[in-house]
Short mmCIF file of all heavy atoms in Angstrom, two decimals:
data_model
loop_
_atom_site.label_atom_id
_atom_site.label_comp_id
_atom_site.label_asym_id
_atom_site.label_seq_id
_atom_site.Cartn_x
_atom_site.Cartn_y
_atom_site.Cartn_z
N SER A 60 -24.36 -20.21 27.30
CA SER A 60 -23.14 -19.76 27.96
C SER A 60 -22.07 -20.84 27.97
O SER A 60 -20.88 -20.55 27.91
CB SER A 60 -23.46 -19.33 29.40
OG SER A 60 -24.04 -20.41 30.12
N GLN A 63 -19.67 -20.59 25.04
CA GLN A 63 -18.85 -19.40 24.84
C GLN A 63 -17.44 -19.63 25.36
O GLN A 63 -17.23 -20.34 26.33
CB GLN A 63 -19.46 -18.22 25.60
CG GLN A 63 -20.80 -17.77 25.05
CD GLN A 63 -21.29 -16.52 25.77
OE1 GLN A 63 -20.49 -15.81 26.36
NE2 GLN A 63 -22.57 -16.28 25.72
N PRO A 64 -16.46 -18.99 24.71
CA PRO A 64 -15.13 -18.95 25.30
C PRO A 64 -15.18 -18.15 26.60
O PRO A 64 -16.18 -17.49 26.88
CB PRO A 64 -14.28 -18.24 24.25
CG PRO A 64 -15.18 -17.95 23.11
CD PRO A 64 -16.56 -18.25 23.47
N PRO A 65 -14.16 -18.20 27.41
CA PRO A 65 -14.16 -17.44 28.66
C PRO A 65 -14.49 -15.96 28.45
O PRO A 65 -15.13 -15.35 29.27
CB PRO A 65 -12.73 -17.62 29.18
CG PRO A 65 -12.28 -18.91 28.59
CD PRO A 65 -12.94 -18.99 27.25
N ALA A 66 -14.06 -15.38 27.34
CA ALA A 66 -14.37 -13.99 27.04
C ALA A 66 -14.30 -13.79 25.53
O ALA A 66 -13.46 -14.39 24.86
CB ALA A 66 -13.41 -13.05 27.75
N ILE A 67 -15.20 -12.98 25.01
CA ILE A 67 -15.17 -12.65 23.59
C ILE A 67 -14.52 -11.28 23.47
O ILE A 67 -15.07 -10.29 23.96
CB ILE A 67 -16.59 -12.64 23.00
CG1 ILE A 67 -17.20 -14.04 23.12
CG2 ILE A 67 -16.55 -12.20 21.54
CD1 ILE A 67 -18.61 -14.14 22.61
N PRO A 68 -13.36 -11.20 22.86
CA PRO A 68 -12.61 -9.93 22.87
C PRO A 68 -13.17 -8.93 21.89
O PRO A 68 -13.86 -9.26 20.92
CB PRO A 68 -11.21 -10.38 22.46
CG PRO A 68 -11.46 -11.54 21.55
CD PRO A 68 -12.65 -12.25 22.14
N ASP A 69 -12.87 -7.66 22.14
CA ASP A 69 -13.05 -6.62 21.14
C ASP A 69 -11.87 -6.67 20.19
O ASP A 69 -10.73 -6.87 20.59
CB ASP A 69 -13.13 -5.24 21.80
CG ASP A 69 -14.42 -5.06 22.59
OD1 ASP A 69 -15.48 -5.48 22.10
OD2 ASP A 69 -14.34 -4.51 23.71
N PRO A 72 -7.10 -9.34 19.42
CA PRO A 72 -5.87 -9.24 20.19
C PRO A 72 -4.79 -10.16 19.64
O PRO A 72 -5.09 -11.24 19.10
CB PRO A 72 -6.29 -9.65 21.61
CG PRO A 72 -7.77 -9.47 21.64
CD PRO A 72 -8.24 -9.75 20.24
N PHE A 75 -4.77 -13.67 21.19
CA PHE A 75 -5.90 -14.44 20.67
C PHE A 75 -5.60 -14.92 19.25
O PHE A 75 -5.86 -16.08 18.90
CB PHE A 75 -7.14 -13.55 20.70
CG PHE A 75 -8.26 -14.00 19.80
CD1 PHE A 75 -9.08 -15.05 20.16
CD2 PHE A 75 -8.49 -13.36 18.59
CE1 PHE A 75 -10.11 -15.46 19.33
CE2 PHE A 75 -9.52 -13.75 17.76
CZ PHE A 75 -10.33 -14.82 18.13
N GLN A 78 -3.16 -17.86 19.23
CA GLN A 78 -3.81 -19.12 19.61
C GLN A 78 -4.67 -19.66 18.47
O GLN A 78 -4.68 -20.87 18.19
CB GLN A 78 -4.66 -18.90 20.86
CG GLN A 78 -3.85 -18.53 22.09
CD GLN A 78 -4.72 -18.04 23.23
OE1 GLN A 78 -5.95 -18.05 23.15
NE2 GLN A 78 -4.07 -17.58 24.29
N PRO A 117 -14.44 -23.63 21.81
CA PRO A 117 -15.07 -22.88 20.71
C PRO A 117 -14.04 -22.11 19.90
O PRO A 117 -12.92 -21.83 20.34
CB PRO A 117 -16.03 -21.94 21.44
CG PRO A 117 -16.27 -22.57 22.76
CD PRO A 117 -14.99 -23.26 23.13
N LEU A 119 -13.70 -18.60 17.31
CA LEU A 119 -14.36 -17.35 16.96
C LEU A 119 -14.12 -17.02 15.49
O LEU A 119 -13.00 -17.07 15.00
CB LEU A 119 -13.85 -16.20 17.82
CG LEU A 119 -14.16 -16.26 19.32
CD1 LEU A 119 -13.74 -14.95 19.98
CD2 LEU A 119 -15.62 -16.54 19.57
N GLN A 142 -21.22 -10.93 18.42
CA GLN A 142 -20.87 -10.33 19.70
C GLN A 142 -19.47 -9.74 19.61
O GLN A 142 -18.51 -10.45 19.32
CB GLN A 142 -20.90 -11.38 20.82
CG GLN A 142 -22.24 -12.07 21.00
CD GLN A 142 -22.18 -13.06 22.14
OE1 GLN A 142 -21.96 -12.70 23.29
NE2 GLN A 142 -22.37 -14.34 21.83
N HIS A 143 -19.35 -8.43 19.84
CA HIS A 143 -18.06 -7.74 19.80
C HIS A 143 -17.32 -8.00 18.48
O HIS A 143 -16.10 -8.11 18.45
CB HIS A 143 -17.18 -8.18 20.98
CG HIS A 143 -17.79 -7.93 22.32
ND1 HIS A 143 -17.86 -6.68 22.88
CD2 HIS A 143 -18.37 -8.78 23.20
CE1 HIS A 143 -18.45 -6.77 24.06
NE2 HIS A 143 -18.77 -8.02 24.28
N HIS A 145 -17.59 -10.75 16.58
CA HIS A 145 -17.26 -12.16 16.42
C HIS A 145 -18.52 -13.01 16.44
O HIS A 145 -19.53 -12.64 17.03
CB HIS A 145 -16.31 -12.63 17.53
CG HIS A 145 -15.06 -11.84 17.64
ND1 HIS A 145 -14.03 -11.94 16.75
CD2 HIS A 145 -14.68 -10.90 18.56
CE1 HIS A 145 -13.05 -11.12 17.11
NE2 HIS A 145 -13.43 -10.47 18.19
N VAL A 147 -19.50 -17.02 17.46
CA VAL A 147 -18.96 -18.20 18.14
C VAL A 147 -19.28 -19.46 17.35
O VAL A 147 -20.44 -19.72 17.02
CB VAL A 147 -19.53 -18.32 19.57
CG1 VAL A 147 -19.01 -19.60 20.23
CG2 VAL A 147 -19.18 -17.10 20.40
#
Side-chain angles (χ1 to χ4, degrees):
S60 58
Q63 293 185 21
I67 298 178
D69 290 318
F75 161 77
Q78 295 168 5
L119 294 188
Q142 302 181 62
H143 302 285
H145 304 286
V147 177

